[in-house]
Structures are given as structure tokens and as C-alpha cells.
């Protein structure tokens, strides 16, 4: 069961992971949907907003993170919020890159290592919240 404190804790963990993996940007995180006791991790959508080191918004670096539970496992998708033609990362037990238009598996893009690192860190955070 999630409480307002655990919701804030999840948001803080997402921001910390983004700050660490997507340097030199700093990040603010917003939960775009509600966290209910009934569907803890069934479908959470986070908007990760980026700022440069001077504190100015860098909207082209904003990220969308969707987290959902599948059985006893946590899966997620990570994509650029405004660069919708770029590949999307699906992260379950392993990383799969998909073409954003067709959903067909594709090669890892140039920013792939950054997203995969973020996904691994976040997957650990969200798996721990299942326990």
C-alpha cells in the first residue's frame, strides 16, 4: 500500500536516478496519473523535466517514463517527450529498442546507454517497492 510519503519517495528516486544517468542535466519529476492503493504499480506515468546547469528548461531533453507490473515483475518504457520519432526503450528483464512508429525492434540509438542505465536503476527502485 502506498502512502503520500511513498509517492513522494518514488518521485524523488526517479529524479535522483535521472540526475545521475542524464548528466549534466537536473530533473524535476511529476506523476501524470494517480497512485492508487488498488493498482500500486499497475500503470504509472512519470514526466521527467530537464534543466541545464544554469537552471533553464531544456524541453527537448524531457523524458516520459511508464512503469507497469507484469506478474511479479516490473516493466517500463522510456521515451523522449517531444522527440516522438526517436526509438523507445522497453525494459523488462532485458532492454529492447522499438521504432516509435511501428513498434518493430530496432538498433540501439546513440543515447541508448543513457536510457538503459536509467532503466536499470529505476527497475531496482520499483522492484523494491513491490516488496
Amino acid at each position: 500500500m502506498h502512502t503520500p510519503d511513498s509517492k513522494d519517495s518514488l518521485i524523488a528516486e526517479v529524479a535522483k536516478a535521472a540526475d545521475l544517468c542524464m548528466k549534466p542535466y537536473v530533473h524535476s519529476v511529476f506523476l501524470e496519473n494517480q497512485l492508487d492503493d488498488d493498482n500500486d504499480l499497475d500503470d504509472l506515468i512519470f514526466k521527467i523535466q530537464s534543466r541545464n546547469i544554469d537552471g533553464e528548461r531544456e524541453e527537448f531533453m524531457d523524458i516520459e517514463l511508464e512503469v507497469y507490473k507484469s506478474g511479479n515483475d516490473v516493466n517500463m518504457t522510456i521515451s523522449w517527450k517531444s522527440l516522438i520519432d526517436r526509438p523507445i526503450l522497453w525494459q523488462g528483464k532485458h532492454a529492447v529498442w522499438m521504432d516509435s512508429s511501428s513498434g518493430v525492434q530496432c538498433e540501439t540509438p546513440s543515447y541508448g546507454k543513457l536510457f538503459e542505465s536509467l532503466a536499470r536503476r529505476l527497475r531496482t527502485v520499483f522492484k523494491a517497492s513491490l516488496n
Side-chain angles (χ1 to χ4, degrees), residues 24-39:
Y25 298 95
V26 278
H27 300 86
S28 301
V29 176
F30 303 93
L31 186 59
E32 289 191 340
N33 59 348
Q34 294 300 313
L35 184 63
D36 298 327
D37 290 342
D38 296 339
N39 66 346

Side-chain angles (χ1 to χ4, degrees), residues 99-116:
D99 179 85
S100 60
S101 299
S102 66
V104 173
Q105 189 171 347
C106 64
E107 295 293 317
T108 303
S110 60
Y111 56 87
K113 299 276 187 228
L114 297 174
F115 272 24
E116 289 176 23

Side-chain angles (χ1 to χ4, degrees), residues 70-81:
S70 178
N72 291 327
D73 213 355
V74 174
N75 297 318
M76 63 184 67
T77 59
I78 302 177
S79 60
W80 295 112
K81 186 80 173 162

Side-chain angles (χ1 to χ4, degrees), residues 64-66 68 75-80 86-92 94-99 106 108-109 111-120:
E64 184 171 276
L65 166 69
E66 183 176 358
Y68 52 96
N75 297 318
M76 63 184 67
T77 59
I78 302 177
S79 60
W80 295 112
R86 298 257 179 111
I88 297 169
L89 173 64
W90 175 86
Q91 178 74 47
H94 54 87
V96 176
W97 284 94
M98 302 179 300
D99 179 85
C106 64
T108 303
Y111 56 87
K113 299 276 187 228
L114 297 174
F115 272 24
E116 289 176 23
S117 175
L118 178 61
R120 284 190 302 273

